[in-house]
Amino acid sequence: MPVEEVKLAAKFKVDLTDVDEAVISEIYRLFEEYREIVDELLEVATRNHITSFVKLYHAKYRELRQKYPMLPSMYIVNACRHAASIYKSFIKSRRLGMCERDKPTFRGRTIWLHRRVFRLDVEGWRASIAVHGGRWILLRLLHGECHERFRGMEHGEARLMLRDDGNLYLNVSFSQTVILPEPDANARVIAVDINENVIAYGNDDFVERLETNEGIIRTRYFLKRRRIRSKIRGRELQRRLLEKYRGREWRRVREIYYKAAKEIIGKAKEIGGTVIVMEDLKIYKEDRSSKELNGRIHRWSYRRFQRILEYQARLHGLNVVYVDPRNTSSICPVCGGKLNPSQNGRRLVRCQRCELEEDRDVIAVKNLVKRYYEEYASAKTSQTSF
Ligand SMILES: [Zn+2]
């Protein structure tokens, strides 16, 4: 059976009651310097178009080390990583037209903590963090029942987050080994087909349609942004509003995604399914035309949903596989004949050969299921998942 590492994130609120003033000011100082460093790195990255951590590190580490000799060096290393990652995602979102700024910014609210500057005691619910001069400060962590599962788990890196309201959080990544069911010819599967407004899922026995209305939400926000661009004077205000609505849009879509993932996993469990089948969207890249920006944004968004579902599914002990999605909406899942739009309904398609008539989404789901069995009946265990 395939064994995989699933990453889990734990978020702890830091208990700041009765904490010494000196400790608080150490924390603020850490945030301040880390921000200065990341800002400086971002400027270098932008000026020289550096997206690689290694290059950024070689360009600036020594200089920053001299400038901040009392700061544990791992903060500078991680700041290089952090800045490279901010710059990379800035470029990506600008390419997709999702970003209104002309250079990346860092709000300075997050510090990436390297394992060497941070210790965690899950039993005692405490964390220590290295600060100036190599001293360590101790933080008490507030915890609830949901944190109990992390006892005894291996932890990795962490992030220290300072909220606008002054609250401090520690996000720690843990990894858990899960044993996933084999994706083979005997597995019961649930295939998931993602469209703009509908996520359809099921297998040969049933197909459910989830109305997400994501496309409608996106259009609404698109119109809102267009209004802001034409009506609001003042670049800074315009930029702020645009970003506010971007954030709101993404949060709404993400909420829909999580709900959908939960429903699909629940159904899989209910029917004894063990494998989730999705479209391998990378395959579309081969025949994409560069003009087709809209399609690219959709695929990017679908990919985000797939990642959420994949992660949640694995946590629940379900395997996830991706299959070739080409022609899954244009070929009959029964006889392989060509499908044409039907006269009897807008969403219906009809097979020329065997006269099957079905909803488009149902067709896509059944074809994905069929493709899974074609691939995994022969290949069996040689490949498991991505
Ligand atoms: Zn047919």
Side-chain angles (χ1 to χ4, degrees):
M1 285 211 176
V3 175
E4 303 226 4
E5 287 270 276
V6 178
K7 287 243 189 301
L8 289 158
K11 188 174 186 179
F12 298 99
K13 190 172 175 183
V14 176
D15 186 1
L16 290 175
T17 48
D18 303 325
V19 170
D20 211 57
E21 265 315 309
V23 170
I24 304 266
S25 61
E26 281 289 0
I27 295 170
Y28 275 89
R29 184 173 173 196
L30 197 60
F31 272 97
E32 225 174 272
E33 290 194 354
Y34 187 83
R35 185 195 178 150
E36 283 170 22
I37 294 169
V38 173
D39 277 346
E40 196 171 329
L41 286 162
L42 274 178
E43 231 180 277
V44 174
T46 310
R47 204 181 323 125
N48 304 305
H49 201 72
I50 301 175
T51 53
S52 132
F53 151 64
V54 178
K55 277 190 192 149
L56 200 54
Y57 174 85
H58 283 301
K60 289 293 283 184
Y61 177 79
R62 227 171 257 255
E63 185 195 324
L64 287 165
R65 192 82 194 89
Q66 274 165 8
K67 203 165 159 189
Y68 299 91
M70 298 298 277
L71 193 69
S73 61
M74 278 307 166
Y75 284 107
I76 301 174
V77 174
N78 260 11
C80 292
R81 246 186 222 121
H82 200 161
S85 137
I86 292 172
Y87 184 58
K88 222 186 286 177
S89 58
F90 164 76
I91 289 181
K92 192 173 178 190
S93 55
R94 203 177 44 178
R95 199 179 295 143
L96 287 166
M98 309 283 281
C99 180
E100 318 298 337
R101 283 158 301 176
D102 43 16
K103 60 176 201 237
T105 52
F106 176 56
R107 288 183 64 234
R109 296 308 203 182
T110 308
I111 298 176
W112 285 13
L113 296 173
H114 191 276
R115 285 189 71 150
R116 296 228 307 255
V117 295
F118 137 79
R119 289 182 203 135
L120 184 70
D121 167 16
V122 183
E123 302 296 318
W125 305 108
R126 277 175 313 203
S128 6
I129 289 166
V131 292
H132 267 81
R135 278 172 298 119
W136 290 76
I137 54 170
L138 193 68
L139 301 170
R140 284 190 311 272
L141 305 175
L142 295 166
H143 55 94
E145 234 168 81
C146 60
H147 293 113
E148 291 295 331
R149 63 194 296 193
F150 299 110
R151 281 180 194 272
M153 261 191 222
E154 185 80 18
H155 77 80
E157 303 211 329
R159 291 172 188 198
L160 195 62
M161 328 251 275
L162 183 63
R163 288 267 188 85
D164 289 337
D165 56 15
N167 280 321
L168 193 63
Y169 289 85
L170 185 70
N171 286 12
V172 189
S173 76
F174 287 88
S175 54
Q176 186 179 19
T177 309
V178 289
I179 297 170
L180 298 175
E182 202 75 64
D184 57 24
N186 303 317
R188 285 205 82 181
V189 305
I190 285 202
V192 182
D193 177 64
I194 312 154
N195 291 298
E196 225 188 320
N197 288 311
V198 174
I199 294 175
Y201 66 95
N203 53 33
D204 288 333
D205 303 328
F206 79 97
V207 175
E208 298 266 2
R209 299 175 82 244
L210 262 166
E211 307 272 343
T212 59
N213 294 326
E214 187 191 329
I216 294 167
I217 293 167
R218 287 200 184 279
T219 307
R220 196 182 302 146
Y221 277 98
F222 169 78
L223 294 173
K224 216 170 242 173
R225 282 195 299 274
R226 200 167 66 182
R227 259 199 320 273
I228 291 168
R229 282 206 185 86
S230 67
K231 294 246 163 72
I232 305 287
R233 309 263 167 253
R235 259 197 80 169
E236 184 52 27
L237 178 65
Q238 196 186 80
R239 190 187 62 74
R240 273 220 311 275
L241 280 172
L242 289 170
E243 237 154 57
K244 182 174 117 187
Y245 283 111
R246 273 270 184 245
R248 214 175 264 183
E249 175 184 8
W250 169 234
R251 280 192 295 277
R252 276 203 67 182
V253 171
R254 190 175 52 187
E255 195 183 321
I256 292 167
Y257 285 172
Y258 272 99
K259 247 189 217 154
K262 197 173 168 194
E263 192 177 316
I264 294 167
I265 291 163
K267 188 72 183 180
K269 292 264 176 192
E270 190 189 311
I271 63 149
T274 54
V275 177
I276 305 264
V277 179
M278 290 194 273
E279 307 164 80
D280 184 357
L281 298 172
K282 274 175 288 181
I283 286 171
Y284 283 120
K285 278 188 182 164
E286 291 162 16
D287 53 19
R288 80 168 184 213
S289 69
S290 55
K291 274 176 281 178
E292 193 214 349
L293 180 69
N294 212 25
R296 245 157 68 206
I297 289 173
H298 279 139
R299 274 195 295 282
W300 173 75
S301 175
Y302 296 168
R303 188 75 196 102
R304 287 191 136 177
F305 171 68
Q306 288 186 333
R307 280 207 204 106
I308 290 171
L309 180 57
E310 180 180 322
Y311 173 76
Q312 296 289 340
R314 288 199 171 145
L315 270 186
H316 287 85
L318 304 170
N319 212 331
V320 177
V321 301
Y322 293 89
V323 296
D324 186 344
R326 275 172 293 192
N327 301 326
T328 44
S329 51
S330 57
I331 284 177
C332 172
V334 177
C335 73
K338 201 177 169 330
L339 297 171
N340 286 331
S342 160
Q343 312 294 326
N344 303 326
R346 208 163 54 88
R347 295 208 54 85
L348 293 177
V349 285
R350 192 180 169 84
C351 175
Q352 290 174 320
R353 207 187 294 165
C354 73
E355 299 196 338
L356 170 89
E357 197 172 81
E358 265 292 11
D359 186 280
R360 284 168 194 285
D361 302 325
V362 174
I363 294 284
V365 166
K366 294 201 165 161
N367 272 323
L368 289 174
V369 171
K370 192 176 166 207
R371 218 152 273 188
Y372 167 83
Y373 286 114
E374 280 164 8
E375 271 182 43
Y376 285 86
S378 51
K380 277 223 158 171
T381 58
S382 59
Q383 61 180 137
T384 52
S385 53
F386 299 116

